[in-house]
Amino acid sequence: DSMPALALGVEPTEPGVMNRHPRDKKTPFLTSREWMRIVYTGAFEALLTIIAYQLGCRFSHEVGMSMAFLTLSMLQLFAAVGFQSEHSSVFGLKAKEHPMLRLALAASTFLQVIVLVFPPLRSAFGLGVIPAMQWLEVLGLCIVMLLFIEAQKLIARMRHED
């Protein structure tokens, strides 16, 4: 997830960011509310990864490990998409305005898929072949992650958090 993290650093600024009041210099960089969001998001990623493992174990331990690996790595990419904006919904953002993030997501996805489909790499990581329909299960879990992040932002907007 380092490529998307770097790409987020060159993203266009969020509308209205210069209209916000600066933080008080005594306010910590990460507030207790932000720490809680980090904990909730991490716990939810862990839960979805465990679900992926369990879904894969219907076939074998190796498939379970492979689905967990793919899910965890893809969850990070979907989270990068969700965290493009701290306040606005990702569904309102224009993809063409974020070429570096799109490129980084594509490159990261490509590298992760290569590990799973190229037999020498798959073997080196101790992974198994993921059946076709289980790729869709992983995609579904990643979409759930994105919706979870969007729900957090919606709740924050409803509370008028800054």
Side-chain angles (χ1 to χ4, degrees):
D1 66 343
S2 56
M3 286 188 275
L6 291 171
L8 285 172
V10 296
E11 282 283 293
T13 58
E14 199 171 347
V17 72
M18 295 305 290
N19 296 330
R20 295 184 202 149
H21 296 289
R23 287 182 183 225
D24 186 305
K25 65 181 179 181
K26 295 177 185 170
T27 302
F29 183 72
L30 293 173
T31 64
S32 59
R33 182 167 282 143
E34 290 163 336
W35 276 112
M36 289 308 296
R37 283 185 186 161
I38 291 168
V39 169
Y40 291 148
T41 302
F44 198 66
E45 281 184 2
L47 174 66
L48 292 174
T49 302
I50 291 168
I51 290 170
Y53 173 75
Q54 291 297 323
L55 291 170
C57 280
R58 295 175 300 177
F59 299 92
S60 70
H61 171 70
E62 289 77 22
V63 172
M65 293 296 289
S66 301
M67 286 182 66
F69 168 79
L70 180 61
T71 300
L72 183 57
S73 57
M74 295 302 292
L75 287 174
Q76 292 294 306
L77 300 182
F78 275 72
V81 170
F83 290 128
Q84 270 183 281
S85 170
E86 186 178 350
H87 301 283
S88 302
S89 172
V90 69
F91 300 114
L93 301 175
K94 296 176 182 158
K96 66 181 178 181
E97 294 176 0
H98 308 276
M100 293 304 293
L101 182 60
R102 286 190 339 206
L103 179 63
L105 292 170
S108 294
T109 301
F110 175 77
L111 292 173
Q112 291 166 6
V113 169
I114 287 297
V115 168
L116 286 162
V117 299
F118 189 58
L121 287 175
R122 186 174 57 231
S123 178
F125 281 86
L127 301 172
V129 176
I130 299 176
M133 291 304 293
Q134 280 50 61
W135 286 83
L136 293 176
E137 289 178 342
V138 170
L139 178 61
L141 292 170
C142 292
I143 291 170
V144 168
M145 182 72 212
L146 183 59
L147 295 175
F148 178 77
I149 291 168
E150 287 298 309
Q152 286 182 355
K153 291 191 285 188
L154 176 64
I155 291 167
R157 284 192 305 271
M158 290 170 53
R159 290 182 177 168
H160 303 289
E161 293 179 0
D162 285 4

